[in-house]
Amino acid sequence: MKSLLLPLLFLCAAQSQVPPKPNFVLIMADDLGIGDLGCYGNKTLRTPNVDRLAKEGVKLTQHLAASPLCTPSRAAFMTGRYPIRSGMASQTRVGVFLFSASSGGLPGSEVTFAKLLKSQGYATALIGKWHLGTHCHNNSDFCHHPSSHGFDYFHGIPVTNLRDCKPGQGSVFTSAIRNLVFVPLQVIALTLLTLAALRWLGLLRVPGLVFACLLLLAAALLGALLCFLHYFRPLNCFLLRDRDITQQPLSYDNLTQRLTEDAAQFIRRNADTPFLLMFSSLQVHTALFSSTDFAGKSKHGLYGDAAEEMDWGVGQILNVLEELRLTNNTLVYFTSDQGAHVEEVSTKGEVHGGSNGIYKGGKGNNWEGGIRVPGLLRWPGLIQAGVEIDEPTSNMDIFPTVAKLAGAALPEDRIIDGRDLMPLLEGKSQRSEHEFLFHYCNYFLNAVRWHPPNSSSIWKAFFFTPNFTPEGANGCFFTHVCFCFGHFVTRHHPPLLFDLSKDPRETTPVTPDTEPRFWDILDTMQQAADRHTHTVQEVPNQLSSQNLLWKPRLQMCCSSSSALSCQCPQGKQGRGGSR
Ligand SMILES: *[C@@H]1O[C@H](CO)[C@@H](O)[C@H](O)[C@H]1NC(C)=O
Ligand SMILES: *[C@@H]1O[C@H](CO)[C@@H](O)[C@H](O)[C@H]1NC(C)=O
């Protein structure tokens, strides 16, 4: 009897010591503001499903995106490292990829959490937006594609949802077109008129060739503009399933439903194996869209409709987990890649950007509104339920947290800036491991955050701040997004210092008069910034103008289309279609 029982006991003991690997569902909304969610205080926008995560898990109230812009923020999220370490931090005005045929992207040498989990036997999928590059040298190398970064399955858009992707929703290129086409055209027209007048008056002998050249130049500019407007949508707004184009240009009809259903199917297919699903919502970035079920239903126009549909999608995913009895073995995370894009106002004047609650600024700048994002984590039984944590945390923390829970070792040959969140989430620790955090505006170190040990203060020192336009506005309305250098910013000597624990709205900088330790605090923060800067190595710049440029050889075009149109709106069944 004893001999029979012993192995059985060992088996039980072994089983209780090695719990099954948890599943991960990481949900990232796009441009959603912290003030848009019911659980963060919004009373009129309905987000019951996201709110449920707050009720059943931990709500982080000082959760920070590593960058206030999509591409760098997502690079940091994927790798647990400041985007400057992977070269995903721009030195020019353009901080994100705008074309599908750009050559930069998340380098293959970077390790994403998907890569780590795949090596631990996880089934991995990314559904929705990627925005971290596609190709390097030709349109079939997929060197930056999700499949080269540990995702077994991808269904979504390689770049981002832009106004230009939806007819009638305006363009993000309005000011570029004005500067690059309309202004030169005006100059040419004026020159032509002047020359014609001088010739007519007999004051100047102008050869006909000069007129012909100027006219040709004008025609070329106009032609280029018309081509750009005509081709932008099919060439950049398409859906991929794995490496195949399934819809070009993408259609917004039931788009959320289609992607959500695909996410649900992925979970169903992998209910018996540990899985990692990253659901990267296209909403609520402009162009705003929603299905007929949500159109006109919210109290906040197109924006509210899109946000409520996004919330519905979250609910569908939570329901599938429930139905398959996976809830108790799944860590669900919800966040946004950065703060709401407050400068987004439609040509008709409708507000198309969300709310950052009490916080100043928004997407594109490092005021709290740009980086303080929702952060909800639920894992019933393990992570505390209904608890609020106000310690500074970062979206880079998901990387080490997920790696550890999955039993994967962190790469040792590089700096990981994120910290394991579990001690905080389980209530085993009351302090964030981030004594300092560094806030970058693309390539430029913009501000430092310091949470001194044994203190409740949260110091934030700005080396520069964006110049809002028009003056007094809460954003850079003239340029649509704030830039990080030159005359677009004001440099501060000494740095502009706030105590966020007392002044979360960043209205009143402290001074040597109001804060006796002023110089000591700044000194400590400057030293931390210097130490940090020394750890940053020069790496190839993935967002250089050279890389950002559209390159015909990298352009993908669905195979059944004629080469010139690049359109398969009906949806081609790619080889991944049945998976
Ligand atoms: C709720 O969200 C909407 C849409 O972004 C916004 O207009 C409104 O001001 C928000 N309400 C609060 C209390 O933040
Ligand atoms: C899931 O975990 C919660 C919290 O520990 C527990 O109350 C509940 O019974 C569990 N549900 C299942 C189906 O095991």
Side-chain angles (χ1 to χ4, degrees):
M1 191 61 195
K2 205 173 162 191
S3 61
L4 255 177
L5 254 175
L6 260 180
L8 210 64
L9 272 174
F10 273 122
L11 204 70
C12 288
Q15 266 177 355
S16 64
Q17 267 165 20
V18 186
K21 287 183 190 284
N23 306 305
F24 300 97
V25 174
L26 311 179
I27 306 173
M28 181 174 272
D30 198 352
D31 286 3
L32 183 80
I34 194 168
D36 287 328
L37 296 169
C39 55
Y40 285 96
N42 201 302
K43 301 236 167 9
T44 45
L45 212 141
R46 291 162 299 186
T47 55
N49 295 293
V50 174
D51 298 348
R52 197 179 132 193
L53 290 174
K55 207 158 68 218
E56 298 172 357
V58 161
K59 175 168 84 175
L60 302 173
T61 53
Q62 198 184 154
H63 194 48
L64 302 153
S67 167
L69 217 53
C70 304
T71 295
S73 170
R74 287 161 188 266
F77 175 64
M78 287 283 167
T79 60
R81 287 147 58 78
Y82 288 111
I84 195 167
R85 298 198 195 279
S86 52
M88 298 291 269
S90 169
Q91 301 181 26
T92 66
R93 293 188 198 182
V94 185
V96 302
F97 295 111
L98 295 170
F99 306 115
S100 69
S102 294
S103 52
L106 191 64
S109 54
E110 289 297 322
V111 178
T112 65
F113 52 71
K115 233 185 230 176
L116 284 184
L117 266 60
K118 195 171 154 63
S119 72
Q120 295 297 308
Y122 274 73
T124 55
L126 173 75
I127 293 177
K129 159 170 160 170
W130 172 239
H131 213 183
L132 295 173
T134 309
H135 300 298
C136 292
H137 306 294
N138 61 60
N139 68 359
S140 54
D141 64 32
F142 296 95
C143 66
H144 300 304
H145 181 274
S147 59
S148 298
H149 281 293
F151 289 101
D152 298 327
Y153 180 68
F154 172 58
H155 183 196
I157 56 171
V159 196
T160 183
N161 182 33
L162 286 177
R163 281 185 179 276
D164 303 71
C165 292
K166 194 165 179 238
Q169 291 287 302
S171 171
V172 295
F173 298 103
T174 312
S175 73
I177 290 173
R178 190 173 49 234
N179 293 336
L180 295 175
V181 182
F182 288 139
V183 172
L185 274 180
Q186 276 168 4
V187 173
I188 293 174
L190 218 67
T191 314
L192 272 172
L193 281 175
T194 315
L195 289 180
L198 288 175
R199 188 161 120 150
W200 187 71
L201 290 170
L203 293 174
L204 194 69
R205 281 197 49 194
V206 186
L209 195 64
V210 171
F211 286 100
C213 280
L214 284 171
L215 280 172
L216 214 67
L217 194 62
L221 272 173
L222 261 179
L225 174 63
L226 290 177
C227 267
F228 181 81
L229 294 178
H230 183 74
Y231 283 110
F232 184 86
R233 188 161 79 101
L235 295 190
N236 301 293
C237 317
F238 52 82
L239 275 177
L240 290 179
R241 180 174 270 123
D242 295 325
R243 297 179 168 196
D244 297 324
I245 292 178
T246 54
Q247 202 172 41
Q248 187 174 27
L250 67 86
S251 152
Y252 288 92
D253 290 341
N254 289 327
L255 183 53
T256 307
Q257 285 68 13
R258 284 184 278 149
L259 292 176
T260 307
E261 178 53 32
D262 207 38
Q265 277 181 21
F266 170 79
I267 297 175
R268 287 180 202 285
R269 282 200 301 277
N270 293 289
D272 299 327
T273 43
F275 63 81
L276 162 79
L277 167 67
M278 176 164 175
F279 189 73
S280 174
S281 168
L282 275 53
Q283 286 157 325
V284 286
H285 199 292
T286 56
L288 297 173
F289 65 93
S290 67
S291 65
T292 47
D293 284 354
F294 292 88
K297 298 285 162 62
S298 80
K299 294 194 173 79
H300 296 286
L302 286 180
Y303 183 86
D305 298 346
E308 292 187 357
E309 186 172 72
M310 181 279 305
D311 176 77
W312 168 87
V314 172
Q316 295 300 299
I317 292 171
L318 298 184
N319 288 349
V320 177
L321 294 176
E322 198 75 39
E323 179 200 318
L324 299 173
R325 307 186 142 273
L326 295 172
T327 301
N328 276 11
N329 192 31
T330 303
L331 172 68
V332 180
Y333 169 65
F334 179 91
T335 193
S336 175
D337 54 357
Q338 66 258 327
H341 195 172
V342 293
E343 290 94 343
E344 277 287 2
V345 180
S346 81
T347 42
K348 294 193 188 100
E350 183 174 325
V351 175
H352 278 187
S355 158
N356 293 315
I358 63 164
Y359 301 110
K360 191 187 216 165
K363 175 178 180 176
N365 58 75
N366 279 304
W367 293 109
E368 289 296 282
I371 49 177
R372 205 183 277 229
V373 289
L376 303 166
L377 293 114
R378 183 192 78 172
W379 184 357
L382 215 73
I383 289 179
Q384 308 172 85
V387 167
E388 202 174 299
I389 295 177
D390 195 34
E391 286 287 295
T393 57
S394 165
N395 69 351
M396 298 182 291
D397 297 342
I398 298 306
F399 179 93
T401 306
V402 161
K404 185 161 183 205
L405 290 170
L410 289 181
E412 279 170 8
D413 58 346
R414 64 197 68 205
I415 295 175
I416 302 293
D417 298 297
R419 295 286 175 266
D420 182 11
L421 283 175
M422 283 313 280
L424 273 177
L425 301 178
E426 291 179 290
K428 291 179 181 163
S429 162
Q430 310 303 319
R431 292 291 295 196
S432 162
E433 282 186 47
H434 292 290
E435 183 178 345
F436 295 97
L437 275 167
F438 303 96
H439 302 301
Y440 278 88
C441 191
N442 291 336
Y443 184 79
F444 307 96
L445 183 55
N446 191 169
V448 181
R449 191 186 209 87
W450 181 32
H451 186 30
N454 310 314
S455 158
S456 60
S457 292
I458 306 280
W459 299 107
K460 187 174 174 192
F462 282 91
F463 299 118
F464 61 86
T465 47
N467 296 332
F468 283 166
T469 52
E471 221 176 299
N474 183 38
C476 301
F477 286 85
F478 291 175
T479 48
H480 193 64
V481 68
C482 295
F483 299 136
C484 308
F485 53 80
H487 67 276
F488 298 105
V489 303
T490 301
R491 306 213 132 256
H492 299 285
H493 310 283
L496 206 57
L497 183 66
F498 295 92
D499 183 355
L500 298 180
S501 69
K502 299 195 180 109
D503 181 17
R505 295 165 199 256
E506 298 167 291
T507 55
T508 321
V510 298
T511 63
D513 291 337
T514 59
E515 175 53 63
R517 294 164 299 168
F518 184 82
W519 296 107
D520 288 342
I521 293 164
L522 281 183
D523 195 42
T524 307
M525 294 177 84
Q526 184 63 56
Q527 282 176 26
D530 293 344
R531 279 197 307 274
H532 162 74
T533 307
H534 274 118
T535 70
V536 176
Q537 288 167 356
E538 272 311 315
V539 293
N541 178 1
Q542 301 296 327
L543 289 156
S544 63
S545 304
Q546 189 69 23
N547 274 331
L548 287 174
L549 218 64
W550 177 71
K551 300 182 185 65
R553 68 176 191 280
L554 303 188
Q555 184 63 51
M556 289 183 78
C557 208
C558 55
S559 52
S560 61
S561 76
S562 71
L564 265 178
S565 76
C566 242
Q567 303 203 9
C568 316
Q570 301 315 318
K572 182 178 80 83
Q573 275 309 304
R575 65 186 157 79
S578 57
R579 280 218 258 152

